[in-house]
Amino acid sequence: MRATARPVFGHTPYSHPEGGLRWPLEVIGDGWSAEWLSDRPLTGRVELTGRLFVDIGSRRSDNPVRVRGRVRRVQLVEQRTEHTGGGLRAVDGTERLTEIEATPHRFWSNWDTTSTSDRFEEVGVLLDLDLDDVPATEVEFVAGAVSVDGPDVWVMDRSNPVLLHLDTAATPPRVVEYLLPLTIEPPTDQWTRKVHADRDGCWITSRYEVFRCDRAGDGTVTIERVCAEGGRSVLVDGRLFLVSSTYPMLSIDRRYGAVRVDPDAHPVRMLDDERRLVPVDDPATVARVTAQPRRADKARSADDTEWVAVVDLTAQAPEGTRRRIDLDARTRGTVHWIQQDPYADPANADIIARISVPKLRTRSID
């Protein structure tokens, strides 16, 4: 396989069991991409011999290349296990393949050590991919975050800056699409932004920033960036809070490996009436806010309907019936973008004074 290698920047190398170091690289070929551990740092064209496989827990690349192709064959991989003094182990060379029509929704190998007999366990799925026969790309909305306030349901795309408003007072719900002046975030398996609905519109938060969206009576939306700081967000009694860790922990840092991370001096901050982030030190308020984390892809309305935004948008009634919401029949809404000028902001006058060059004073000649 011929490919182009590029480093995963800022990632510490791994120690190989047989000695030496291995640097994580991303390799990009004709219609495919993968991650590779190299015994030396490099960038450019490489020739590889090996096998591609899926590593579900791998998240090394900040922006992995997404590829498309057509699945030609699906086979379930099983491998014989045997008992050892320390439990079970898979026996090399005992893999067997079974033709199936589609990958299982989920499967887990049963590594129960109570059984004394050797057996075959499901260990993976083998796919034959045709990377030249690529299905046509369709522009589609991929639901990633949802929030509800009364009859208003707000749904955010998983990575694109597309926001939908659903008026559930109508049957079927009226859907309006808003294209927001936000960045396209690298797609992940979950959400990249959160939405917090209230009676006037919604807040949109991410790890980088906070935006305010106000919806007028005519359906137009006004959006403004409130601050260029983000984090885990919670809406309590109409107030938006940003929450970081409240206790020390060990974190896997790609540059340093396992490191201790101490909590911030003020792990809970609130957006005040002037839309400034202010520390919250009241123990009761901190306890109340930190006790209300929620997933961005689930929301519950006043009538106890659960809304789930995972690719599609579904609504499950209290009695258990579930329905998929049609998001394709939608109209385009109008967005007004408020762009603040930081150079004209009085709050930044002291900064502007330090970085401004004084005007030259001219002297007239008599």
Side-chain angles (χ1 to χ4, degrees):
M1 298 181 292
R2 296 182 183 273
T4 299
R6 68 183 186 188
V8 181
F9 294 105
H11 203 302
T12 184
Y14 296 92
S15 297
H16 195 272
E18 298 180 0
L21 298 174
R22 296 294 185 270
W23 279 266
L25 305 179
E26 185 176 29
V27 288
I28 305 168
D30 183 12
W32 60 270
S33 68
E35 291 173 356
W36 170 47
L37 293 179
S38 171
D39 60 359
R40 60 181 300 167
L42 56 85
T43 301
R45 297 288 293 175
V46 294
E47 184 172 349
L48 304 175
T49 301
R51 180 179 301 172
L52 299 177
F53 65 95
V54 177
D55 184 0
I56 297 176
S58 178
R59 289 293 183 270
R60 296 190 185 102
S61 178
D62 288 332
N63 188 17
V65 175
R66 294 298 178 108
V67 299
R68 293 173 61 87
R70 191 177 299 277
V71 177
R72 295 299 185 186
R73 189 183 189 188
V74 184
Q75 299 177 86
L76 181 65
V77 183
E78 297 174 294
Q79 193 171 15
R80 187 168 65 83
T81 59
E82 66 179 8
H83 280 264
T84 65
L88 291 175
R89 76 173 183 90
V91 180
D92 294 337
T94 61
E95 295 87 351
R96 68 183 184 187
L97 304 176
T98 303
E99 298 277 348
I100 54 179
E101 293 297 322
T103 59
H105 177 64
R106 64 173 56 190
F107 65 87
W108 304 99
S109 297
N110 180 15
W111 295 93
D112 182 9
T113 58
T114 58
S115 174
T116 58
S117 60
D118 297 343
R119 59 187 183 272
F120 279 84
E121 297 289 345
E122 299 174 348
V123 295
V125 176
L126 180 63
L127 303 179
D128 290 349
L129 299 177
D130 186 346
L131 298 178
D132 293 321
D133 185 9
V134 180
T137 301
E138 297 180 359
V139 178
E140 59 182 12
F141 180 87
V142 181
V146 62
S147 187
V148 184
D149 184 83
D152 299 313
V153 178
W154 295 92
V155 191
M156 191 78 198
D157 187 272
R158 181 174 293 178
S159 64
N160 290 328
V162 180
L163 178 67
L164 302 185
H165 173 262
L166 282 69
D167 180 5
T168 60
T171 306
R174 287 192 295 268
V175 184
V176 181
E177 173 189 273
Y178 299 99
L179 298 182
L180 304 181
L182 309 183
T183 59
I184 301 173
E185 297 296 333
T188 66
D189 294 334
Q190 293 183 326
W191 58 87
T192 54
R193 295 180 172 99
K194 272 190 174 184
V195 182
H196 301 281
D198 56 34
R199 65 179 183 179
D200 298 317
C202 65
W203 299 93
I204 300 175
T205 66
S206 72
R207 59 181 295 188
Y208 307 105
E209 58 207 0
V210 176
F211 280 85
R212 176 63 197 177
C213 287
D214 288 313
R215 185 172 181 270
D218 60 358
T220 61
V221 159
T222 300
I223 184 169
E224 178 183 8
R225 190 184 70 190
V226 175
C227 64
E229 295 183 63
R232 184 164 63 91
S233 54
V234 181
L235 190 69
V236 179
D237 294 337
R239 292 286 190 181
L240 187 73
F241 295 83
L242 296 183
V243 183
S244 61
S245 176
T246 57
Y247 48 85
M249 62 179 64
L250 288 180
S251 175
I252 302 299
D253 184 277
R254 68 179 183 179
R255 182 178 294 271
Y256 306 113
V259 295
R260 175 189 172 98
V261 179
D262 289 312
D264 295 335
H266 303 283
V268 177
R269 293 179 296 167
M270 182 188 72
L271 208 62
D272 65 9
D273 293 334
E274 283 72 37
R275 296 185 174 178
R276 297 173 302 182
L277 286 172
V278 296
V280 177
D281 296 321
D282 175 57
T285 303
V286 170
R288 186 182 180 194
V289 170
T290 55
Q292 299 190 45
R294 73 168 183 87
R295 295 177 59 93
D297 57 357
K298 292 185 179 181
R300 193 172 296 274
S301 56
D303 62 357
D304 210 28
T305 297
E306 184 181 51
W307 297 81
V308 180
V310 180
V311 181
D312 296 321
L313 179 66
T314 60
Q316 181 170 319
E319 63 272 14
T321 58
R322 182 186 296 270
R323 73 184 191 278
R324 176 182 174 276
I325 308 300
D326 181 13
L327 301 178
D328 295 330
R330 58 182 186 257
T331 59
R332 177 69 61 84
T334 302
V335 177
H336 298 300
W337 183 15
I338 298 179
Q339 293 180 273
Q340 300 290 347
D341 182 3
Y343 295 97
D345 190 341
N348 298 331
D350 58 335
I351 301 176
I352 301 300
R354 293 198 304 270
I355 65 176
S356 298
V357 177
K359 293 183 179 180
L360 294 176
R361 304 178 69 177
T362 60
R363 185 177 61 183
S364 61
I365 301 177
D366 297 332

